[in-house]
């Protein structure tokens, strides 16, 4: 029991009148924290007038789940620590590389390591921190990068596409291997939630062939071209649909046609028109159909559309030709790495307009100019200080500062 004036915590003293009236009173067993009366916080031990049979609370700190960001808490009777997942650090795993976002102009920050970040540049920007403005007339797409993002352009919804449309475009492959993968060229859909029956329009490459699909709500119609002539530098696509009837012409190949199943004749789509990839490109989010696994790799240009035979072709977007947004899209045949000098054996990596230095072991920083300390998580080999101890670098190695209750070179002994 602990007494605060006439306030008792735990158990009322045996000489109080309440004991005789109420019979046996059992004291509280457990821990009491953060004791407050009205708006005044009372410090349970320091402000108590008297007490007995009170011990220090031995509830393990891990029972309070102190670790952030899915960190794992480990404790013994005296010590505790958070084992942090990849790319998080701090006593409570509360820090991530992108918490203090170094990227500019609305770029997407992605943690390359616990110390370094990569800036995935928005449309019209390039450079390590996406600070350089670039003029894009022929967009270059890099497919799906090592971080799982695709490069893409997003245009406003194409109006009056319900019953008739024609598309014309040209593309250039980054390499012949890219033609043999599943690459999305463009997409517009009703919901993009993968539901059967969603209306959508989709164009892509698979195994060296152009694949054109649409669904008017009663089943998917698909046309697959003959294999591309990979000796051609630029490929030309012309496709269209009138009610249920669709057609596709690729390069000098013969025109191919298809009729969509069911009775529905109108394409109802409300999403933006995505070129080269998708904002959150997860194939399962796209309506059931070909579901291309990657974004396009290469250049796409001269994209034009019309929704009536009586009108001319126009570029998508509002105003015409202007995308609403985009990510990691560069200018065709331009290399952002030509402006970047990675040091100490680092290699410049470019994905569209996004560029960064991939550093050799032992180096870090935007241009690989900083050495990795022997005590940092990225050091190879890692230090051997046991969890809960502190690694302190020395001129010729490091030492481990042990927490209370441990000893040994690496604090491995109790």
């Amino acid at each position: 029991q602990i007494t605060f004036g006439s306030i008792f915590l735990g158990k009322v003293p045996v000489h109080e009148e309440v004991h005789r009236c109420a019979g046996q009173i059992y004291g509280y067993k457990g821990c009491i924290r953060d004791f407050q009366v009205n708006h005044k916080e009372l410090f349970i031990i320091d402000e108590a007038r008297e007490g007995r049979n009170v011990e220090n609370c031995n509830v393990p700190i891990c029972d309070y789940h102190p670790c952030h960001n899915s960190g794992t808490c480990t404790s013994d009777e005296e010590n505790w620590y958070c084992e942090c997942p990849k790319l998080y650090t701090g006593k409570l795993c509360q820090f991530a590389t992108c918490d203090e976002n170094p990227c500019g102009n609305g770029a997407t920050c992605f943690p390359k390591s616990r110390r370094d970040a990569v800036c995935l540049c928005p449309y019209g920007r390039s450079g390590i921190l996406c600070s350089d403005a670039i003029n894009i007339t022929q967009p270059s797409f890099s497919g799906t990068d090592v971080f799982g993002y695709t490069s893409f352009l997003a245009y406003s919804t194409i109006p009056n596409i319900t019953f008739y449309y024609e598309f014309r475009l040209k593309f250039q492959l980054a390499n012949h291997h890219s033609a043999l993968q599943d690459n999305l060229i463009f997409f517009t859909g009703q919901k993009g939630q993968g539901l059967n029956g969603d209306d959508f329009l989709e164009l892509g490459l698979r195994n060296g062939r152009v694949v054109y699909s649409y669904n008017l709500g009663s089943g998917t119609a698909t046309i697959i071209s003959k294999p591309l002539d990979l000796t051609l530098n630029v490929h030309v696509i012309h496709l269209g649909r009138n009610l249920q009837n669709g057609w596709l012409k690729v390069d000098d190949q013969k025109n191919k046609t298809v009729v969509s199943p069911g009775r529905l004749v109108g394409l109802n789509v409300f999403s933006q028109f995505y070129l080269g990839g998708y904002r959150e490109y997860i194939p399962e989010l796209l309506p059931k159909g070909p579901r291309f696994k990657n974004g396009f790799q290469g250049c796409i240009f001269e994209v034009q559309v019309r929704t009536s035979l009586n009108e001319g072709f126009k570029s998508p977007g509002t105003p015409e030709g202007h995308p609403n947004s985009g990510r990691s899209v560069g200018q065709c045949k331009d290399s952002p790495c030509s402006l970047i000098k990675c040091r100490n054996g680092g290699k410049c990596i470019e994905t569209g307009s996004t560029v960064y230095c991939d550093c050799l072991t032992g180096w870090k920083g935007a241009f690989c100019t900083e050495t990795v300390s022997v005590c940092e998580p990225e050091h190879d080999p890692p230090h051997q200080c046991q969890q809960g101890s502190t690694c302190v670098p020395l001129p010729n190695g490091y030492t481990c500062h042990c927490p209370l209750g441990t000893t040994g070179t690496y604090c491995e002994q109790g």
Side-chain angles (χ1 to χ4, degrees):
Q1 69 185 33
I2 299 179
T3 306
F4 294 86
S6 60
I7 301 174
F8 300 94
L9 286 185
K11 182 180 180 181
V12 178
V14 295
H15 62 271
E16 291 295 322
E17 187 68 24
V18 67
H19 175 70
R20 295 195 297 270
C21 296
Q24 181 63 43
I25 300 229
Y26 294 95
Y28 174 74
K29 292 183 179 181
C31 299
I32 298 176
R33 302 169 48 133
D34 303 327
F35 180 45
Q36 180 175 308
V37 178
N38 294 328
H39 299 292
K40 179 176 177 8
E41 181 181 1
L42 298 178
F43 295 94
I44 293 178
I45 299 299
D46 294 348
E47 296 189 43
R49 293 187 177 181
E50 62 177 309
R52 63 174 177 262
N53 298 330
V54 177
E55 297 179 352
N56 196 35
C57 183
N58 61 358
V59 175
I61 189 67
C62 289
D63 286 3
Y64 297 104
H65 307 292
C67 306
H68 299 185
N69 299 305
S70 300
T72 302
C73 183
T74 302
S75 67
D76 53 29
E77 294 182 355
E78 295 183 352
N79 305 299
W80 66 276
Y81 63 90
C82 292
E83 185 174 352
C84 301
K86 187 178 180 181
L87 305 180
Y88 288 96
T89 186
K91 175 70 173 178
L92 304 178
C93 306
Q94 72 272 40
F95 300 122
T97 309
C98 288
D99 282 349
E100 297 182 1
N101 189 348
C103 307
N105 299 296
T108 301
C109 180
F110 190 89
K112 184 175 67 170
S113 70
R114 294 187 182 181
R115 305 290 181 183
D116 294 331
V118 171
C119 300
L120 308 181
C121 296
Y123 174 74
R125 291 286 173 172
S126 184
I128 292 287
L129 300 178
C130 304
S131 55
D132 303 328
I134 57 173
N135 182 33
I136 298 176
T137 57
Q138 295 185 346
S140 172
F141 304 86
S142 53
T144 307
D145 61 28
V146 296
F147 310 111
Y149 289 90
T150 58
S151 55
F152 76 92
L153 290 177
Y155 297 86
S156 55
T157 303
I158 299 174
N160 305 319
I161 201 174
T162 306
F163 301 113
Y164 183 90
Y165 59 74
E166 282 185 74
F167 283 88
R168 298 191 306 201
L169 62 90
K170 298 178 181 180
F171 68 87
Q172 187 176 23
L173 298 170
N175 51 64
H176 289 172
H177 177 68
S178 66
L180 304 178
Q181 300 178 347
D182 292 340
N183 297 326
L184 181 69
I185 297 177
F186 71 63
F187 166 84
T188 185
Q190 192 174 57
K191 299 175 183 176
Q193 298 299 319
L195 301 177
N196 195 16
D198 280 356
D199 289 22
F200 70 87
L201 165 62
E202 195 172 36
L203 180 71
L205 284 174
R206 175 174 289 125
N207 298 325
R209 301 169 185 261
V210 175
V211 180
Y212 162 43
S213 295
Y214 59 91
N215 190 330
L216 308 180
S218 55
T220 301
T222 300
I223 303 176
I224 302 176
S225 76
K226 292 182 178 180
L228 292 174
D229 181 358
L230 299 181
T231 63
L232 297 176
N233 186 41
V234 176
H235 301 276
V236 180
I237 294 179
H238 194 183
L239 62 87
R241 180 189 63 86
N242 182 24
L243 302 179
Q244 292 179 294
N245 303 301
W247 51 272
L248 170 70
K249 180 171 176 58
V250 177
D251 296 332
D252 293 328
Q253 298 179 16
K254 291 184 178 180
N255 190 59
K256 300 186 74 172
T257 61
V258 70
V259 179
S260 63
R263 293 186 172 184
L264 298 179
V265 297
L267 176 69
N268 300 301
V269 296
F270 310 110
S271 76
Q272 297 184 98
F273 178 77
Y274 291 95
L275 187 68
Y278 200 56
R279 182 182 301 277
E280 299 297 338
Y281 191 76
I282 303 173
E284 287 72 23
L285 289 181
L286 301 183
K288 291 184 177 179
R291 283 187 176 172
F292 299 97
K293 296 179 181 177
N294 299 293
F296 185 77
Q297 300 175 43
C299 303
I300 303 176
F301 43 94
E302 297 182 25
V303 180
Q304 295 183 314
V305 59
R306 69 177 180 180
T307 55
S308 170
L309 278 171
N310 299 321
E311 66 181 30
F313 281 89
K314 295 181 179 180
S315 299
T318 306
E320 182 182 347
H322 290 263
N324 294 337
S325 61
R327 178 178 57 224
S328 298
V329 175
Q331 170 68 2
C332 192
K333 297 182 180 179
D334 282 357
S335 172
C337 278
S338 63
L339 305 175
I340 301 299
K341 180 67 174 178
C342 301
R343 306 291 181 178
N344 300 303
K347 180 181 179 182
C348 183
I349 304 295
E350 60 182 62
T351 55
S353 62
T354 294
V355 59
Y356 64 95
C357 290
D358 187 20
C359 304
L360 293 178
T361 300
W363 296 94
K364 65 176 183 177
F367 299 97
C368 306
T369 55
E370 305 171 43
T371 58
V372 177
S373 166
V374 68
C375 288
E376 292 185 56
E378 296 90 347
H379 191 270
D380 187 18
H383 67 79
Q384 300 182 50
C385 296
Q386 298 295 308
Q387 293 284 10
S389 61
T390 302
C391 177
V392 178
L394 299 175
N396 296 310
Y398 63 94
T399 186
C400 302
H401 284 187
C402 303
L404 186 66
T406 63
T407 185
T409 303
Y410 306 114
C411 308
E412 74 279 8
Q413 300 175 21

